[in-house]
Amino acid sequence: MEQVSANRSHAGVQGVYTHRSTSTGTPMTFSVFVPDHAPGAKLPVLWYLSGLTCTHANVTEKGEYRAACAEHGVIFVAPDTSPRGEGVPDAEGYDFGQGAGFYVDATREPWSTHFLMRSYIEIDLPQLVAGHFPADMDRQGITGHSMGGHGALTTALRNPGRFRSVSAFSPIVSPLECSWGEKALGGYLGPDRTSWRAYDACALIDDGARLPDLLVDQGTADNFLADQLKTHLLEDACARAGMPATIRMQEGYDHSYYFISTFMAEHVAWHAKRLV
């Protein structure tokens, strides 16, 4: 692991790092904010998964989480959304290929060589974070935005007991039911839609997966709400399963980081209460 930068901020250190991923076979960049803490102390970890077109930098520069993380003593980790670099395949458009890994392990060529973002998020990066930062891996929460909200929900649902807290901003709740999901999952996994269910939050809940609690914020002025995000499908799935969920429709907010930054401190505090 190599340090790209480190900046003092909000009684902590905001760092950016690169490493060679064993999952993707490529260099990967991620950011970590570590609040000040007593020597030898271990802090809870909040993972943040970003959306389409984003890198680690979007939330690091615009997410406004550091003051809340410093207040509550929470490490904040923001990975990239896909492998990148020489020899990594790409596609035209913003919703497939580099910047659009969808947090899946691809099984179709040419994507299956490098696009193993599920393994990167679930195995590779957590091992690195545990080995290099004062992270208490028994106290993990996860959140994300849009495609990253999809990633946060499905990662937590597939790994019962790993995350004490789960939230999302404007998540893609059912890739099986939207064009973004159909393009990504069809391209990475192939036409067999049964293999897609492991990457669909609503399908996972219908198939028996559960979360102890869930917080979702969704803006009513989000131009992707009706066609891509379809928050009502998650509300319906949680109701059918009897799974507790707080799903808040925030009047007038859109899909941008203006929205995310408005509610980020609330999400950090919500996670912190569950990560004690």
Side-chain angles (χ1 to χ4, degrees), residues 80-135:
D80 201 349
T81 55
S82 78
R84 303 175 193 271
E86 185 177 353
V88 176
D90 201 2
E92 292 186 3
Y94 69 93
D95 53 356
F96 191 72
Q98 293 188 34
F102 259 82
Y103 305 101
V104 308
D105 276 358
T107 57
R108 297 186 76 191
E109 292 292 345
W111 313 103
S112 57
T113 299
H114 298 298
F115 278 72
L116 300 174
M117 288 301 294
R118 172 179 175 175
S119 292
Y120 180 68
I121 295 299
E122 293 184 3
I123 302 171
D124 194 3
L125 189 56
Q127 291 176 348
L128 189 76
V129 168
H132 289 83
F133 299 94

Side-chain angles (χ1 to χ4, degrees), residues 135-201:
D136 184 349
M137 303 305 281
D138 290 327
R139 293 187 290 160
Q140 296 184 73
I142 191 168
T143 187
H145 171 235
S146 194
M147 179 185 72
H150 140 78
L153 294 175
T154 56
T155 298
L157 286 162
R158 286 193 308 265
N159 292 275
R162 176 180 290 194
F163 301 98
R164 293 190 186 182
S165 55
V166 184
S167 75
F169 300 90
S170 313
I172 303 170
V173 305
S174 183
L176 282 158
E177 301 296 336
C178 71
S179 61
W180 278 347
E182 289 178 349
K183 181 176 181 178
L185 300 186
Y188 293 133
L189 304 176
D192 180 7
R193 293 173 67 92
T194 60
S195 69
W196 302 7
R197 296 185 70 83
Y199 300 106
D200 184 297

